[in-house]
Amino acid sequence: GVQLPPGPGYSVKNADHAWGTPRTIRLLQDAIRDYTRGGRGGPKVHVGDLSRRGGGVFPPHLSHRHGRD
């Protein structure tokens, strides 16, 4: 997995829960970049739980186990 790094245009709820597949992280960063590129002054994107490092059971979530949610 890959951890979502800090970046412009978004804040991460909990860095320990910001792990995902390389594809998921890339798509998320691209979507946020496209959103902020619009220049309309919208609010920062809040990124909640993705997955824990290494995946696995992640209470209270029923999914979020493979870094694709």
Side-chain angles (χ1 to χ4, degrees), residues 2-19:
V2 176
Q3 188 176 32
L4 178 65
Y10 64 92
S11 62
V12 178
K13 175 182 171 182
N14 183 337
D16 290 338
H17 299 164
W19 290 82

Side-chain angles (χ1 to χ4, degrees), residues 5-6 9 19 28 59 62:
W19 290 82
L28 184 58
L62 298 177

Side-chain angles (χ1 to χ4, degrees), residues 41-61:
K44 273 189 158 187
V45 175
H46 173 82
V47 180
D49 295 338
L50 301 176
S51 182
R52 291 195 281 186
R53 185 177 189 170
V57 177
F58 190 9
H61 304 291

